[in-house]
Amino acid sequence: MSFPTDRPRRLRRSEPLRALVRETRLDPGDFVLPLFAVSGKGVKNPVPSMPGVAQLSVDLLVEEARAAFNAGVPAVILFGIPQKKDPIGSSAWIEPIPAAVKALKDAMPSLLVMADVCMCEYTDHGHCGELRADGTVDNDKTLPLLGRAARAYAEAGADVVAPSDMMDGRVAFIRRALDESGLGDTAILSYAVKYASAFYGPFRAAAGSAPSFGDRKGYQMDPANVREARREALLDLDEGADMLMVKPALPFLDVIAEVRRLTDRPLAAYNVSGEYAMLKAAAQNGWLEERRATLEILTGIKRAGADFILSYSATEAARWLSA
Ligand code: PBG
């Protein structure tokens, strides 16, 4: 059966028909809002390259999370900007994250609180772990640092810890560290497939985590690879990850689809800072319709296979969807 009998336009004639046959539906419950925590009170440092995003002290962070929660966003993920940085990033387990987690859970027990686990915001050199003399990251020396941070966040009440450092073996190490401390109920969302991407630029300004020399290509993945994504995903599942993530989202929709086919475990995608920044910039110039473009991007990420999406647009998108 073909034209003129078969006419796909018949099902596009009206919004009720389009809605009936819609294959992908976005819901506020699909979103996780990333938040940047700093110590102190009443502190709000806007991030110039990410309009609408700011580093927030814990009191204001709770208000921001409450606004998201009230809009239907079920979860936040926390990044910390410490007062002190050192070669091993020891503020990771000290401040500001444990207090931020506790404040959020005290204020909103049913808000899901995820804590990103990585050393780059806490090290004075900006790399994601402890360095060797030659300036490369020492994988196995970094694992105990990650384990210690994950334990501190879980103890503070985080529902989920999310390692984003790309060290080999960190999921197994963190799982064991949690289990040995009686924190067996804390879930691990692994940034299993994380590329060395240009789209993290605005985040690094927001988190003060740009490497002071070199780049992250020695530990993050080459954007040209998808078979390697399968390998990373399988390894992390084997090590005990409860959920996997692909990051960034837009240049890697095929990778999201590939990992979706590989596992039945929940899959997340991170609609990263650079993706947010370019859309905001175009919208501010009147070059793109912000609401339609944002929802189209989020729909595309979900259609590719993500169960949930980390996005700086979470609260706005949730409000648009409920309007
Ligand atoms: C690492 C981390 C990064 C992001 C999340 N976790 C940056 C990096 O690897 O340099 C990026 C998120 C974004 O760009 O929105 N701690």
Side-chain angles (χ1 to χ4, degrees):
M1 190 174 69
S2 61
F3 182 79
T5 318
D6 195 10
R7 291 178 181 270
R9 283 185 55 189
R10 279 189 201 114
L11 298 182
R12 296 181 204 137
R13 277 177 64 222
S14 68
E15 180 50 28
L17 270 173
R18 290 190 291 272
L20 182 72
V21 301
R22 188 157 293 138
E23 298 173 32
T24 308
R25 278 173 215 278
L26 273 186
D27 182 270
D30 297 333
F31 304 138
V32 178
L33 177 70
L35 291 171
F36 297 101
V38 292
S39 286
K41 248 193 126 168
V43 183
K44 178 173 183 170
N45 305 321
V47 182
S49 54
M50 300 176 72
V53 176
Q55 301 175 343
L56 299 170
S57 55
V58 173
D59 50 333
L60 301 182
L61 196 80
V62 170
E63 292 321 305
E64 193 77 12
R66 197 188 302 281
F69 192 65
N70 289 343
V73 176
V76 298
I77 182 161
L78 299 181
F79 298 92
I81 297 101
Q83 284 166 306
K84 264 188 277 165
K85 304 196 185 211
D86 64 27
I88 64 160
S90 52
S91 290
W93 49 85
I94 300 169
E95 66 87 26
I97 294 300
V101 170
K102 191 172 178 316
L104 286 166
K105 290 306 284 187
D106 285 351
M108 285 166 282
S110 51
L111 172 75
L112 289 172
V113 176
M114 306 183 174
D116 183 88
V117 178
C118 189
M119 308 316 292
C120 66
E121 298 110 274
Y122 305 96
T123 53
D124 50 15
H125 45 74
H127 279 284
C128 299
E130 188 170 342
L131 296 181
R132 294 198 192 93
D134 67 0
T136 59
V137 175
D138 189 326
N139 190 93
D140 297 10
K141 272 197 178 161
T142 299
L143 298 178
L145 309 176
L146 298 167
R148 194 160 171 189
R151 207 174 341 118
Y153 306 156
E155 267 162 9
D159 300 280
V160 176
V161 292
S164 66
D165 51 282
M166 290 302 278
M167 295 303 121
D168 293 330
R170 92 272 207 204
V171 172
F173 195 98
I174 289 171
R175 184 70 272 160
R176 194 160 3 97
L178 294 174
D179 291 355
E180 284 170 4
S181 306
L183 297 161
D185 288 338
T186 308
I188 298 179
L189 165 60
S190 174
Y191 289 70
V193 181
K194 177 173 176 181
Y195 290 92
S197 171
F199 289 91
Y200 305 149
F203 172 96
R204 290 179 186 171
S209 64
S212 60
F213 65 90
D215 54 41
R216 303 210 204 289
K217 291 178 186 164
Y219 38 105
Q220 298 180 348
M221 286 173 57
D222 182 340
N225 292 358
V226 65
R227 295 193 300 268
E228 188 187 2
R230 297 173 58 88
R231 179 184 186 192
E232 282 284 5
L234 289 172
L235 276 172
D236 283 8
L237 289 171
D238 195 50
E239 288 181 30
D242 299 285
M243 306 181 275
L244 300 182
M245 194 194 307
V246 172
K247 173 189 177 190
L250 288 187
F252 301 97
L253 293 176
D254 60 319
V255 179
I256 296 173
E258 186 72 24
V259 178
R260 171 74 297 158
R261 284 189 291 270
L262 186 74
T263 178
D264 292 331
R265 290 293 174 93
L267 177 62
Y270 201 140
N271 178 213
V272 301
S273 59
E275 299 171 1
Y276 176 83
M278 65 184 179
L279 180 53
K280 281 282 175 191
Q284 286 184 349
N285 276 291
W287 296 340
L288 279 178
E289 246 180 89
E290 184 174 10
R291 175 181 169 148
R292 280 188 61 203
T294 303
L295 295 177
E296 187 174 321
I297 285 172
L298 294 168
T299 301
I301 296 169
K302 192 169 178 193
R303 192 192 60 242
D307 295 302
F308 60 97
I309 304 168
L310 287 70
S311 176
Y312 302 96
S313 306
T315 306
E316 269 181 315
R319 287 189 183 134
W320 289 329
L321 290 170
S322 333

